[in-house]
Every structure is written in structure tokens, then in C-alpha cells.
Amino acid sequence: MTLTGLYVPLITPFDADGAVATGALDTLARDTLDHGATGLVALGTTAEPSALTAAERALVLDTVAAVCASRGAPMLAGAHDAAALGALAAQPAVTAALTLVPPFVRAGEDGVVAHLSALAGASPVPLVIYHVPYRTAQPLPAAALRRIAAIPGVIGMKLAAGGIDADTVDLLADPPPDFAILGGDDLYIAPLLAMGAHGGILASAHMATRAYADLITARGPLPLGRGLARLSAALFAEPNPAVIKGVLHAHGRIPTPHVRLPLLPATPAAVRAAGTAAGRQLDDRAYHAV
């Protein structure tokens, strides 16, 4: 099984009382699939999972799983330890877990491979590894990424190196067989697709979903990629997902723009700039995902 296409890591909307707005999450999930997403990600980092209680994480997972099951859409779920992975056994809608390279400890290549091998061996679902070294502080050369790809039960990687570095070039020039490489840096998705990435896990695709889906289908054509890169830059101008939530709220798609500490709400200027960028994409291309 090789995952392809556009996967949207859904935000967690909150209501005016600060509770998870499950109705808004359900509608957002359905709208995103209606506008071209291949599948959804629940409890990715865009969902603020560390700020949710265990009961809230279960509620988010149940809500997104119900939508994906009803649509026959693939679903990834953020799960980074044995307990979280074990809980996915009760979720038949989950296609795979999105599992982070262990952050902060800088375990080294051998430690990372051993850790991910242990998780994959215990997991009830396959793993898609999230490699984002500018957040985890764990760089990995292309040779290490190939070692991870060879772990039984690992079927893909969300690759977010912060640009197009030499290891990204090396990996995409000779990708492991039957292994999905999904671009995770929204700003660079067009060149990643042109180099051979199989798809993307893109928070920016909460807006202009159809345009991002078309970009992936067309393998990153330059004019469309330029416009979406500007949109992604605007949406990530402040810590994610604050700007995305601000724009979604401004367009009436979620009840509040609230985020939870340590995040702060996006500034009005950032929301206006991103809303303008999203609106330009929609007007120019007659897409109606916002």
C-alpha cells in the first residue's frame, strides 16, 4: 500500500466556552473531503493534541474516524507512543498512524531506528513517520531515512526538512520501493512533487483545498505552485495553527479562532493577509473551499 494524494491535518475547533466543537469538526472534515482531499489526519500537530485532554483526543479521533468511515476515505492518526498506538486498535477507520521521530532527546540514528522499530512492531496499524528535524532537533541523513523505510510496518514518511536539502534530493532521486514520501513543508510542496513525492500532508489545504489537490495531481506545475506557496507562507506567518484558525473563523467555518496555550491567537494583520491570499486563490481559479 503506497499512500498518495492530499491529506489535510485537521485543526481542532473550539466553541465559545473552550470545548471541542465537534459539529464544526465534522463539517470541516466533510467539506475538506468534498473539495478534493484524499484523506484526513486526526490529532496531527496542527490539531494541538498536547493541549487536549485524553477525553478530548478520543472525541476528536472518534469524530474524524466517523467521517472517514462514512466516505471510505483513508485516515491517519497522530500517535507517538505505545499507548496511543494501542488505542488505534479500536478504530477500524484508521489507515495508519502518523508517528514523530522522537524529539528533543537527539537519540541518534541508531536510537531512532530502534525506537521506531519497537513502535512499529507493537502497533496495530502501519506507521507513517513524521521527520521534521527543525522541530525535533534530530537530523537524519538519507541513509538513515532508508533504514527507517525498511522497518516492517513502516509504510511512509511525512518529510518536512525545512526546504530542499541534499538528503531530500538523495532520497527522492532513489526512493525506497513501496514507500510513500509525503511532503510536509507546505511552502515547498510544488518542488517536492516535481522531484517525485507521492503527495502531501498540508495544513494550508484547509483553504483552497481543490487547488492543493490539483497541484498534487498535476505534480507541482509552476504557476499554481507559486500562488499556493504565497498562501502557505501567509498561513504560517505566525505559529501554526493560529492563522489558519483565524481565517477559518473569519469565513464562518468554525465558531471561534481560539487556540490553547502556549499558542496565542493570530494577530489581525496576519489573519487579514492570509485571508487575502486565500481569497485571491479562490477568485483566480474559481475554487470554493473557503
Side-chain angles (χ1 to χ4, degrees):
M1 173 179 58
T2 301
L3 300 174
T4 60
L6 171 64
Y7 293 80
V8 180
L10 294 173
I11 57 102
T12 301
F14 301 121
D15 64 22
D17 295 323
V20 174
T22 53
L25 178 59
D26 179 276
T27 300
L28 188 64
R30 294 179 187 277
D31 287 349
T32 303
L33 292 173
D34 286 344
H35 286 93
T38 304
L40 303 175
V41 182
L43 300 178
T45 52
T46 301
E48 303 172 75
S50 62
L52 303 177
T53 66
E56 288 173 330
R57 289 193 293 271
L59 183 60
V60 167
L61 192 61
D62 288 344
T63 301
V64 180
V67 172
C68 287
S70 71
R71 299 295 182 87
M75 174 182 169
L76 308 182
H80 312 295
D81 57 39
L85 288 165
L88 299 181
Q91 293 287 353
V94 174
T95 304
L98 183 62
T99 301
L100 190 63
V101 168
F104 185 74
V105 294
R106 302 186 71 176
E109 177 180 334
D110 290 344
V112 169
V113 172
H115 172 76
L116 296 177
S117 296
L119 290 181
S123 176
V125 297
L127 304 187
V128 174
I129 305 305
Y130 186 9
H131 177 47
V132 54
Y134 55 89
R135 294 185 183 272
T136 63
Q138 179 58 74
L140 293 169
L145 301 181
R146 290 193 173 88
R147 288 179 64 191
I148 291 169
I151 296 171
V154 172
I155 63 170
M157 176 171 290
K158 178 181 179 181
L159 183 62
I164 310 295
D165 63 7
D167 291 304
T168 298
V169 173
D170 187 337
L171 184 68
L172 288 171
D174 184 21
D178 302 317
F179 183 76
I181 300 173
L182 303 172
D185 278 313
D186 298 35
L187 192 61
Y188 303 105
I189 188 59
L192 287 169
L193 291 166
M195 294 170 66
H198 299 93
I201 300 177
L202 306 174
S204 299
H206 282 85
M207 269 62 72
T209 310
R210 177 63 65 184
Y212 282 99
D214 286 353
L215 180 74
I216 288 172
T217 300
R219 312 304 299 170
L222 190 57
L224 180 55
R226 282 190 187 130
L228 291 176
R230 287 193 292 267
L231 173 57
S232 292
L235 291 169
F236 280 82
E238 295 180 5
N240 186 52
V243 180
I244 290 173
K245 282 189 162 186
V247 177
L248 288 172
H249 175 61
H251 285 266
R253 298 179 67 195
I254 58 175
T256 74
H258 297 344
V259 291
R260 288 184 179 172
L261 292 171
L263 296 175
L264 296 174
T267 61
V271 173
R272 283 194 299 270
T276 298
R280 183 174 298 117
Q281 284 296 324
L282 297 170
D283 292 341
D284 289 350
R285 301 187 175 278
Y287 294 129
H288 303 286
V290 176

